[in-house]
Amino acid sequence: MKSQKNTHVTLQQVAEHAGVSRATASLVVRGSQNISETTREKVFNSMHELGYVYDRVAANLRSKSSTTVGLIIMELANPFYSELLIGIHQTLDQFGQTVILGTTFDSCTIQDRLLSTMLEHRVGGVILSAVPGTSGEAVERVRRWGIPIVLVNRILPGTQCDFVGIDNVAGGQLAVEYLIRQGHRRIAFLGGLAKLSSWQGRKQGYDNALRQAGLEIDHSLIIESPATRDCGIELIQRLLSIPNPPTAVFCYNDIMAIGAMMKMKEMGLTPGKDIAIVGFDDIPEAAIFTPKLTTVSSAIRLMGSHAAALLHARMENPDNEPQNIVLQPELIVRDSCSHSLSAMVPPLDKNLI
Amino acid sequence: MKSQKNTHVTLQQVAEHAGVSRATASLVVRGSQNISETTREKVFNSMHELGYVYDRVAANLRSKSSTTVGLIIMELANPFYSELLIGIHQTLDQFGQTVILGTTFDSCTIQDRLLSTMLEHRVGGVILSAVPGTSGEAVERVRRWGIPIVLVNRILPGTQCDFVGIDNVAGGQLAVEYLIRQGHRRIAFLGGLAKLSSWQGRKQGYDNALRQAGLEIDHSLIIESPATRDCGIELIQRLLSIPNPPTAVFCYNDIMAIGAMMKMKEMGLTPGKDIAIVGFDDIPEAAIFTPKLTTVSSAIRLMGSHAAALLHARMENPDNEPQNIVLQPELIVRDSCSHSLSAMVPPLDKNLI
DNA sequence: CTGAAAGCGCTTACAG
DNA sequence: CTGAAAGCGCTTACAG
């Protein structure tokens, strides 16, 4: 009657209206089996008539459950993370969980604050792409509360934890082997911070490929930097002005590769023709740039999807063994490294192949 | 002592440990002024010693408040929306609010479901980029629950609601006037769905600019479509094969413009030289593409930031007049439309300028 | 299948 | 500044 301004209808009121007890109404809302068809209908009718809205927050409090998951990433502006969010959000949605988002900008302080906030919000679990240098204590604090945590993309040494990531070694190797097959001998590894586990992996793959081809590692061709576009722009310039510049560049990630290619074009160079470029991640931008970027796919959405599934499994079964999911990368060949350079480089020693 | 597996510490226990009442402890946690320094310290010490974590969910339930905001957008894969999310998330963060995200994929059914979920989660407010064709009833249902709602980017006719968006008419006019000044006379308006308020605005701006220059509107140059990259690819092809093709194209948004330019390059055409292209939104990709896309900025992050601020203001002051924030667009001149075409087109009649 | 009671962890008055 | 009591909206046993 007086439902002009829907003053909050409670389950209590629904029960009274339907002529049943609160407990019964509660069972109906939660879809219990042991309720007669007629009772169920009576309750549903009352719900609709009164405009009832289930209060998940109250329910969660009482039953000590949770329908939210905390996601902590570096920043949204990086397409890698928005893709990751897409994957995570999509599969969490299927489990009826909603995500609470936090961005660290790679600051440990912010990450600590976010972790606290998530605990205060009683999240059912946390998906964390950890700031490099995160202490094991930080994740322990969360788990001591009985809140499961899965690490994504970035490994945390010394922590027994569910993890999902890409095989960076294989990825790096894939990229550099390809460049070698294209005839390149001087191949740079550009950008990324050496403290990141993903950098170490990719670098390892780079080393492996070079070594297997009998090529020497020239440390002047390996330059560290934050993995930003601007650094890509800056580093390629530096790299091309050294006495004996590389003919190919394996970039730490696509963002850097795109920065590098932009600068090259500005310098009058044609990426893929004058210098070969390979990226890592396969962000959407890689396919729209000219030339289209040859890159190693990180299967980002899939990674997100796995992270969500892993967390869900862990929430159901807290005491299982920690799982490690390592996705296999794939080389996506596009236009940023053609054969045209092979003429200028000497063939490999026969005995090495 | 037994804090191995931190069994949930409650405020009750903190109070006991500190030798104060529950009420006092509660006041301390919330930072009340009327507490003596010594009491405050005692309580804080106990909190740390016991490893207490404030339960925001319980607090919100009791005090009928909320620290979450629902955000409903079309999809995350569209850079426009991830930029919007960045703006919203950032300023909501400053207000201590966290966002619960939902994506509609432009389906009314999904949107209704999301709205319900948000209500069940007791969000303190909703920021909605509404599916075209959303009934006013849907937003009324939310507001009847006393939950404020702000519309972002897409207007909803007949709804009295806070709103923040861009001046699409001015934006369209800016773009087309620029093309006319560059010497173009046959200018297409490519893509977008006519049912979207933003399409109608941009189209209006297009009409205005043409009319003011004394140019006729040729309806064969106006093609509707979903605002996707693939449609951009498809439409440009169709547009260029008509008997008297345009020399310039104003695209509904940047995504379509990029699709169109990709196709043109594939066809051996140089965007900006053979045909001028202007986009709308200024997504990050616009600055990366070759040629760099000349476009109308939607000030996306700012829009998100305003939406968050508006919602916050409304939550504080539910009974104020609904506010309308209309951002002024800006033309970002880059490389996708040069002067080089001006030679091929006749000058404007003098009496029209 | 139902009802009465207790409780999730906090805040809200209100009397001291 | 403090304590005892009630209550936010729900779920959980448990006896019928």
Short mmCIF file of all heavy atoms in Angstrom, two decimals, chain B residues 117-172:
data_model
loop_
_atom_site.label_atom_id
_atom_site.label_comp_id
_atom_site.label_asym_id
_atom_site.label_seq_id
_atom_site.Cartn_x
_atom_site.Cartn_y
_atom_site.Cartn_z
N THR B 117 21.69 -7.08 -8.76
CA THR B 117 22.86 -7.50 -8.00
C THR B 117 23.42 -6.36 -7.17
O THR B 117 23.77 -6.53 -6.00
CB THR B 117 23.97 -7.98 -8.96
OG1 THR B 117 23.41 -8.94 -9.85
CG2 THR B 117 25.10 -8.62 -8.19
N MET B 118 23.49 -5.20 -7.78
CA MET B 118 24.04 -4.04 -7.08
C MET B 118 23.18 -3.69 -5.87
O MET B 118 23.68 -3.40 -4.79
CB MET B 118 24.09 -2.83 -8.01
CG MET B 118 24.79 -3.11 -9.33
SD MET B 118 26.46 -2.49 -9.33
CE MET B 118 27.25 -3.48 -10.57
N LEU B 119 21.88 -3.74 -6.03
CA LEU B 119 20.99 -3.47 -4.91
C LEU B 119 21.22 -4.48 -3.80
O LEU B 119 21.30 -4.13 -2.63
CB LEU B 119 19.52 -3.53 -5.35
CG LEU B 119 19.03 -2.40 -6.25
CD1 LEU B 119 17.54 -2.55 -6.53
CD2 LEU B 119 19.32 -1.06 -5.61
N GLU B 120 21.33 -5.73 -4.18
CA GLU B 120 21.53 -6.79 -3.19
C GLU B 120 22.84 -6.59 -2.43
O GLU B 120 22.98 -7.00 -1.29
CB GLU B 120 21.53 -8.16 -3.87
CG GLU B 120 20.18 -8.51 -4.48
CD GLU B 120 20.16 -9.92 -5.06
OE1 GLU B 120 21.20 -10.59 -5.02
OE2 GLU B 120 19.09 -10.33 -5.55
N HIS B 121 23.80 -6.00 -3.11
CA HIS B 121 25.08 -5.74 -2.46
C HIS B 121 25.06 -4.44 -1.66
O HIS B 121 26.07 -4.02 -1.14
CB HIS B 121 26.21 -5.68 -3.49
CG HIS B 121 26.74 -7.03 -3.86
ND1 HIS B 121 27.68 -7.68 -3.12
CD2 HIS B 121 26.43 -7.86 -4.88
CE1 HIS B 121 27.95 -8.85 -3.69
NE2 HIS B 121 27.20 -8.98 -4.75
N ARG B 122 23.91 -3.80 -1.63
CA ARG B 122 23.74 -2.55 -0.87
C ARG B 122 24.76 -1.49 -1.28
O ARG B 122 25.37 -0.87 -0.41
CB ARG B 122 23.89 -2.81 0.62
CG ARG B 122 22.94 -3.85 1.17
CD ARG B 122 23.26 -4.17 2.62
NE ARG B 122 22.36 -3.49 3.55
CZ ARG B 122 22.61 -2.34 4.13
NH1 ARG B 122 23.71 -1.70 3.89
NH2 ARG B 122 21.75 -1.83 4.95
N VAL B 123 24.95 -1.30 -2.57
CA VAL B 123 25.83 -0.21 -3.01
C VAL B 123 25.26 1.12 -2.53
O VAL B 123 24.06 1.26 -2.36
CB VAL B 123 25.97 -0.17 -4.54
CG1 VAL B 123 26.65 -1.41 -5.06
CG2 VAL B 123 24.62 0.02 -5.21
N GLY B 124 26.14 2.07 -2.33
CA GLY B 124 25.72 3.38 -1.89
C GLY B 124 25.24 4.27 -3.03
O GLY B 124 24.60 5.29 -2.82
N GLY B 125 25.54 3.84 -4.25
CA GLY B 125 25.14 4.60 -5.42
C GLY B 125 25.50 3.85 -6.68
O GLY B 125 26.23 2.85 -6.61
N VAL B 126 24.99 4.33 -7.79
CA VAL B 126 25.25 3.65 -9.05
C VAL B 126 25.67 4.67 -10.11
O VAL B 126 25.07 5.74 -10.21
CB VAL B 126 24.01 2.88 -9.55
CG1 VAL B 126 24.21 2.38 -10.97
CG2 VAL B 126 23.68 1.73 -8.62
N ILE B 127 26.71 4.33 -10.86
CA ILE B 127 27.07 5.12 -12.03
C ILE B 127 26.74 4.27 -13.24
O ILE B 127 27.22 3.14 -13.37
CB ILE B 127 28.57 5.47 -12.02
CG1 ILE B 127 28.90 6.34 -10.80
CG2 ILE B 127 28.94 6.20 -13.30
CD1 ILE B 127 30.37 6.73 -10.70
N LEU B 128 25.91 4.82 -14.09
CA LEU B 128 25.34 4.01 -15.17
C LEU B 128 25.57 4.63 -16.54
O LEU B 128 25.20 5.77 -16.79
CB LEU B 128 23.83 3.84 -14.93
CG LEU B 128 23.00 3.13 -15.98
CD1 LEU B 128 23.40 1.66 -16.08
CD2 LEU B 128 21.52 3.26 -15.67
N SER B 129 26.18 3.85 -17.41
CA SER B 129 26.22 4.22 -18.82
C SER B 129 25.19 3.32 -19.49
O SER B 129 25.47 2.18 -19.85
CB SER B 129 27.62 3.96 -19.38
OG SER B 129 27.68 4.37 -20.72
N ALA B 130 23.98 3.85 -19.60
CA ALA B 130 22.80 3.02 -19.86
C ALA B 130 22.76 2.39 -21.24
O ALA B 130 23.15 3.02 -22.24
CB ALA B 130 21.54 3.84 -19.63
N VAL B 131 22.29 1.18 -21.31
CA VAL B 131 22.00 0.51 -22.58
C VAL B 131 20.97 1.35 -23.33
O VAL B 131 20.00 1.79 -22.72
CB VAL B 131 21.42 -0.89 -22.30
CG1 VAL B 131 20.96 -1.56 -23.58
CG2 VAL B 131 22.42 -1.75 -21.56
N PRO B 132 21.17 1.57 -24.62
CA PRO B 132 20.15 2.35 -25.34
C PRO B 132 18.80 1.62 -25.25
O PRO B 132 18.74 0.40 -25.37
CB PRO B 132 20.66 2.37 -26.78
CG PRO B 132 21.83 1.45 -26.84
CD PRO B 132 22.30 1.21 -25.47
N GLY B 133 17.77 2.38 -24.97
CA GLY B 133 16.45 1.78 -24.85
C GLY B 133 16.11 1.40 -23.42
O GLY B 133 15.05 0.82 -23.16
N THR B 134 16.98 1.74 -22.47
CA THR B 134 16.69 1.50 -21.06
C THR B 134 15.41 2.23 -20.66
O THR B 134 15.23 3.39 -20.99
CB THR B 134 17.85 2.03 -20.19
OG1 THR B 134 19.05 1.38 -20.56
CG2 THR B 134 17.57 1.80 -18.72
N SER B 135 14.53 1.54 -19.95
CA SER B 135 13.30 2.18 -19.52
C SER B 135 13.59 3.06 -18.30
O SER B 135 14.45 2.74 -17.48
CB SER B 135 12.27 1.13 -19.14
OG SER B 135 12.68 0.45 -17.98
N GLY B 136 12.86 4.15 -18.22
CA GLY B 136 13.00 5.02 -17.06
C GLY B 136 12.67 4.24 -15.80
O GLY B 136 13.19 4.51 -14.72
N GLU B 137 11.80 3.25 -15.94
CA GLU B 137 11.39 2.42 -14.80
C GLU B 137 12.60 1.75 -14.13
O GLU B 137 12.68 1.64 -12.92
CB GLU B 137 10.38 1.37 -15.28
CG GLU B 137 10.02 0.29 -14.29
CD GLU B 137 9.69 0.79 -12.88
OE1 GLU B 137 9.31 1.96 -12.74
OE2 GLU B 137 9.85 0.00 -11.93
N ALA B 138 13.56 1.33 -14.96
CA ALA B 138 14.74 0.64 -14.42
C ALA B 138 15.51 1.53 -13.45
O ALA B 138 15.93 1.08 -12.39
CB ALA B 138 15.64 0.17 -15.56
N VAL B 139 15.68 2.81 -13.84
CA VAL B 139 16.42 3.67 -12.91
C VAL B 139 15.53 4.09 -11.75
O VAL B 139 16.01 4.28 -10.63
CB VAL B 139 17.09 4.89 -13.62
CG1 VAL B 139 17.21 4.68 -15.10
CG2 VAL B 139 16.42 6.18 -13.27
N GLU B 140 14.25 4.17 -11.98
CA GLU B 140 13.34 4.52 -10.88
C GLU B 140 13.37 3.46 -9.78
O GLU B 140 13.34 3.76 -8.60
CB GLU B 140 11.90 4.66 -11.41
CG GLU B 140 11.59 6.06 -11.89
CD GLU B 140 12.17 7.13 -10.97
OE1 GLU B 140 11.96 7.06 -9.74
OE2 GLU B 140 12.87 8.04 -11.47
N ARG B 141 13.43 2.21 -10.21
CA ARG B 141 13.46 1.10 -9.27
C ARG B 141 14.63 1.25 -8.29
O ARG B 141 14.50 1.00 -7.10
CB ARG B 141 13.60 -0.20 -10.06
CG ARG B 141 13.53 -1.47 -9.25
CD ARG B 141 13.29 -2.68 -10.14
NE ARG B 141 14.37 -2.91 -11.08
CZ ARG B 141 15.37 -3.78 -10.86
NH1 ARG B 141 15.40 -4.48 -9.77
NH2 ARG B 141 16.31 -3.94 -11.77
N VAL B 142 15.76 1.70 -8.84
CA VAL B 142 16.93 1.89 -8.01
C VAL B 142 16.72 3.07 -7.05
O VAL B 142 16.98 2.98 -5.85
CB VAL B 142 18.19 2.14 -8.86
CG1 VAL B 142 19.37 2.49 -7.99
CG2 VAL B 142 18.48 0.91 -9.71
N ARG B 143 16.22 4.13 -7.61
CA ARG B 143 16.09 5.33 -6.77
C ARG B 143 15.02 5.18 -5.71
O ARG B 143 15.09 5.79 -4.65
CB ARG B 143 15.81 6.53 -7.67
CG ARG B 143 17.04 6.83 -8.52
CD ARG B 143 17.13 8.26 -8.81
NE ARG B 143 16.06 8.64 -9.72
CZ ARG B 143 16.05 9.76 -10.40
NH1 ARG B 143 17.05 10.61 -10.27
NH2 ARG B 143 15.08 10.05 -11.20
N ARG B 144 14.01 4.36 -5.98
CA ARG B 144 12.98 4.12 -4.99
C ARG B 144 13.59 3.49 -3.74
O ARG B 144 13.06 3.61 -2.64
CB ARG B 144 11.90 3.21 -5.58
CG ARG B 144 10.50 3.75 -5.33
CD ARG B 144 9.45 2.89 -5.98
NE ARG B 144 9.51 2.95 -7.43
CZ ARG B 144 9.52 1.88 -8.21
NH1 ARG B 144 9.49 0.67 -7.69
NH2 ARG B 144 9.56 2.01 -9.52
N TRP B 145 14.70 2.80 -3.94
CA TRP B 145 15.40 2.23 -2.79
C TRP B 145 16.28 3.25 -2.10
O TRP B 145 17.06 2.94 -1.22
CB TRP B 145 16.28 1.06 -3.25
CG TRP B 145 15.57 -0.23 -3.12
CD1 TRP B 145 14.79 -0.83 -4.06
CD2 TRP B 145 15.53 -1.07 -1.97
NE1 TRP B 145 14.26 -1.99 -3.56
CE2 TRP B 145 14.71 -2.15 -2.27
CE3 TRP B 145 16.10 -0.99 -0.70
CZ2 TRP B 145 14.44 -3.16 -1.37
CZ3 TRP B 145 15.83 -2.00 0.20
CH2 TRP B 145 15.01 -3.07 -0.13
N GLY B 146 16.18 4.49 -2.57
CA GLY B 146 16.98 5.53 -1.94
C GLY B 146 18.43 5.50 -2.37
O GLY B 146 19.30 6.06 -1.71
N ILE B 147 18.70 4.82 -3.49
CA ILE B 147 20.06 4.75 -3.97
C ILE B 147 20.25 5.71 -5.13
O ILE B 147 19.60 5.58 -6.17
CB ILE B 147 20.41 3.32 -4.40
CG1 ILE B 147 20.37 2.41 -3.17
CG2 ILE B 147 21.76 3.26 -5.06
CD1 ILE B 147 20.78 1.02 -3.43
N PRO B 148 21.12 6.69 -4.95
CA PRO B 148 21.32 7.68 -6.00
C PRO B 148 21.99 7.06 -7.22
O PRO B 148 22.73 6.09 -7.11
CB PRO B 148 22.23 8.73 -5.36
CG PRO B 148 22.81 8.09 -4.18
CD PRO B 148 21.94 6.96 -3.77
N ILE B 149 21.74 7.66 -8.35
CA ILE B 149 22.25 7.12 -9.60
C ILE B 149 22.72 8.29 -10.46
O ILE B 149 22.06 9.31 -10.50
CB ILE B 149 21.15 6.29 -10.27
CG1 ILE B 149 21.66 5.44 -11.41
CG2 ILE B 149 20.00 7.13 -10.73
CD1 ILE B 149 20.66 4.36 -11.81
N VAL B 150 23.90 8.16 -11.05
CA VAL B 150 24.29 9.18 -12.01
C VAL B 150 24.55 8.55 -13.36
O VAL B 150 25.16 7.49 -13.46
CB VAL B 150 25.46 10.12 -11.54
CG1 VAL B 150 25.91 9.81 -10.15
CG2 VAL B 150 26.59 10.16 -12.52
N LEU B 151 24.02 9.20 -14.36
CA LEU B 151 24.16 8.74 -15.73
C LEU B 151 25.44 9.31 -16.31
O LEU B 151 25.76 10.48 -16.10
CB LEU B 151 22.97 9.24 -16.55
CG LEU B 151 21.78 8.33 -16.76
CD1 LEU B 151 21.66 7.27 -15.69
CD2 LEU B 151 20.51 9.14 -16.89
N VAL B 152 26.17 8.50 -17.05
CA VAL B 152 27.39 9.00 -17.62
C VAL B 152 27.45 8.71 -19.12
O VAL B 152 27.05 7.63 -19.57
CB VAL B 152 28.63 8.42 -16.89
CG1 VAL B 152 28.73 6.93 -17.07
CG2 VAL B 152 29.91 9.09 -17.35
N ASN B 153 27.84 9.73 -19.84
CA ASN B 153 28.05 9.62 -21.28
C ASN B 153 26.78 9.45 -22.12
O ASN B 153 26.63 10.08 -23.14
CB ASN B 153 29.02 8.47 -21.61
CG ASN B 153 29.49 8.51 -23.02
OD1 ASN B 153 29.75 9.60 -23.54
ND2 ASN B 153 29.57 7.38 -23.66
N ARG B 154 25.88 8.58 -21.69
CA ARG B 154 24.66 8.39 -22.46
C ARG B 154 23.48 8.96 -21.70
O ARG B 154 23.24 8.62 -20.54
CB ARG B 154 24.43 6.91 -22.70
CG ARG B 154 25.48 6.28 -23.59
CD ARG B 154 25.27 4.80 -23.62
NE ARG B 154 26.12 4.13 -24.59
CZ ARG B 154 26.05 2.82 -24.83
NH1 ARG B 154 25.18 2.08 -24.19
NH2 ARG B 154 26.85 2.26 -25.72
N ILE B 155 22.75 9.79 -22.39
CA ILE B 155 21.60 10.44 -21.78
C ILE B 155 20.41 9.49 -21.80
O ILE B 155 20.36 8.58 -22.63
CB ILE B 155 21.31 11.76 -22.54
CG1 ILE B 155 21.06 12.88 -21.57
CG2 ILE B 155 20.18 11.57 -23.53
CD1 ILE B 155 21.26 14.24 -22.20
N LEU B 156 19.47 9.66 -20.88
CA LEU B 156 18.27 8.83 -20.87
C LEU B 156 17.08 9.77 -20.92
O LEU B 156 16.77 10.41 -19.92
CB LEU B 156 18.25 7.99 -19.59
CG LEU B 156 17.72 6.58 -19.72
CD1 LEU B 156 18.52 5.82 -20.76
CD2 LEU B 156 17.77 5.89 -18.39
N PRO B 157 16.42 9.85 -22.06
CA PRO B 157 15.37 10.85 -22.23
C PRO B 157 14.27 10.66 -21.18
O PRO B 157 13.91 9.54 -20.85
CB PRO B 157 14.82 10.56 -23.63
CG PRO B 157 15.78 9.62 -24.28
CD PRO B 157 16.49 8.91 -23.19
N GLY B 158 13.80 11.75 -20.65
CA GLY B 158 12.67 11.68 -19.73
C GLY B 158 13.04 11.28 -18.32
O GLY B 158 12.17 10.99 -17.51
N THR B 159 14.32 11.24 -18.00
CA THR B 159 14.71 10.89 -16.64
C THR B 159 15.37 12.08 -15.97
O THR B 159 16.32 12.65 -16.49
CB THR B 159 15.71 9.72 -16.65
OG1 THR B 159 15.27 8.76 -17.59
CG2 THR B 159 15.82 9.10 -15.28
N GLN B 160 14.85 12.44 -14.82
CA GLN B 160 15.46 13.50 -14.03
C GLN B 160 16.59 12.88 -13.22
O GLN B 160 16.35 12.19 -12.25
CB GLN B 160 14.43 14.13 -13.10
CG GLN B 160 13.54 15.13 -13.79
CD GLN B 160 14.36 16.28 -14.39
OE1 GLN B 160 15.21 16.84 -13.71
NE2 GLN B 160 14.12 16.61 -15.65
N CYS B 161 17.80 13.14 -13.62
CA CYS B 161 18.92 12.42 -13.03
C CYS B 161 20.19 13.24 -13.17
O CYS B 161 20.32 14.01 -14.12
CB CYS B 161 19.11 11.11 -13.80
SG CYS B 161 19.35 9.68 -12.77
N ASP B 162 21.10 13.06 -12.24
CA ASP B 162 22.42 13.66 -12.44
C ASP B 162 23.01 13.06 -13.70
O ASP B 162 22.83 11.89 -13.99
CB ASP B 162 23.34 13.32 -11.27
CG ASP B 162 22.96 14.04 -10.00
OD1 ASP B 162 22.81 15.27 -10.05
OD2 ASP B 162 22.79 13.37 -8.97
N PHE B 163 23.74 13.89 -14.43
CA PHE B 163 24.31 13.41 -15.68
C PHE B 163 25.63 14.10 -15.96
O PHE B 163 25.80 15.28 -15.68
CB PHE B 163 23.34 13.67 -16.84
CG PHE B 163 23.94 13.44 -18.20
CD1 PHE B 163 24.05 12.15 -18.71
CD2 PHE B 163 24.40 14.51 -18.97
CE1 PHE B 163 24.61 11.93 -19.95
CE2 PHE B 163 24.97 14.29 -20.21
CZ PHE B 163 25.07 13.00 -20.71
N VAL B 164 26.58 13.35 -16.50
CA VAL B 164 27.79 13.99 -17.00
C VAL B 164 28.14 13.39 -18.36
O VAL B 164 28.07 12.18 -18.56
CB VAL B 164 28.97 13.89 -16.00
CG1 VAL B 164 29.05 12.55 -15.38
CG2 VAL B 164 30.29 14.23 -16.68
N GLY B 165 28.44 14.27 -19.27
CA GLY B 165 28.74 13.82 -20.62
C GLY B 165 29.48 14.89 -21.39
O GLY B 165 29.87 15.92 -20.83
N ILE B 166 29.65 14.63 -22.65
CA ILE B 166 30.38 15.58 -23.49
C ILE B 166 29.37 16.28 -24.41
O ILE B 166 28.32 15.74 -24.72
CB ILE B 166 31.44 14.82 -24.34
CG1 ILE B 166 32.37 15.78 -25.08
CG2 ILE B 166 30.78 13.89 -25.34
CD1 ILE B 166 33.58 16.14 -24.26
N ASP B 167 29.68 17.48 -24.80
CA ASP B 167 28.80 18.18 -25.73
C ASP B 167 29.02 17.63 -27.14
O ASP B 167 29.90 18.07 -27.86
CB ASP B 167 29.10 19.68 -25.69
CG ASP B 167 28.09 20.49 -26.51
OD1 ASP B 167 27.50 19.92 -27.46
OD2 ASP B 167 27.90 21.67 -26.20
N ASN B 168 28.20 16.67 -27.50
CA ASN B 168 28.38 15.98 -28.77
C ASN B 168 28.12 16.87 -29.98
O ASN B 168 28.78 16.74 -31.00
CB ASN B 168 27.47 14.75 -28.83
CG ASN B 168 27.96 13.63 -27.95
OD1 ASN B 168 29.03 13.10 -28.18
ND2 ASN B 168 27.19 13.29 -26.94
N VAL B 169 27.16 17.78 -29.83
CA VAL B 169 26.86 18.68 -30.94
C VAL B 169 28.09 19.55 -31.22
O VAL B 169 28.57 19.62 -32.36
CB VAL B 169 25.64 19.57 -30.62
CG1 VAL B 169 25.36 20.51 -31.77
CG2 VAL B 169 24.43 18.71 -30.30
N ALA B 170 28.60 20.16 -30.17
CA ALA B 170 29.78 21.00 -30.34
C ALA B 170 30.95 20.20 -30.91
O ALA B 170 31.69 20.66 -31.78
CB ALA B 170 30.19 21.63 -29.01
N GLY B 171 31.09 18.97 -30.42
CA GLY B 171 32.19 18.12 -30.88
C GLY B 171 32.08 17.80 -32.36
O GLY B 171 33.06 17.92 -33.11
N GLY B 172 30.91 17.40 -32.78
CA GLY B 172 30.70 17.08 -34.19
C GLY B 172 30.96 18.29 -35.06
O GLY B 172 31.59 18.20 -36.13
#
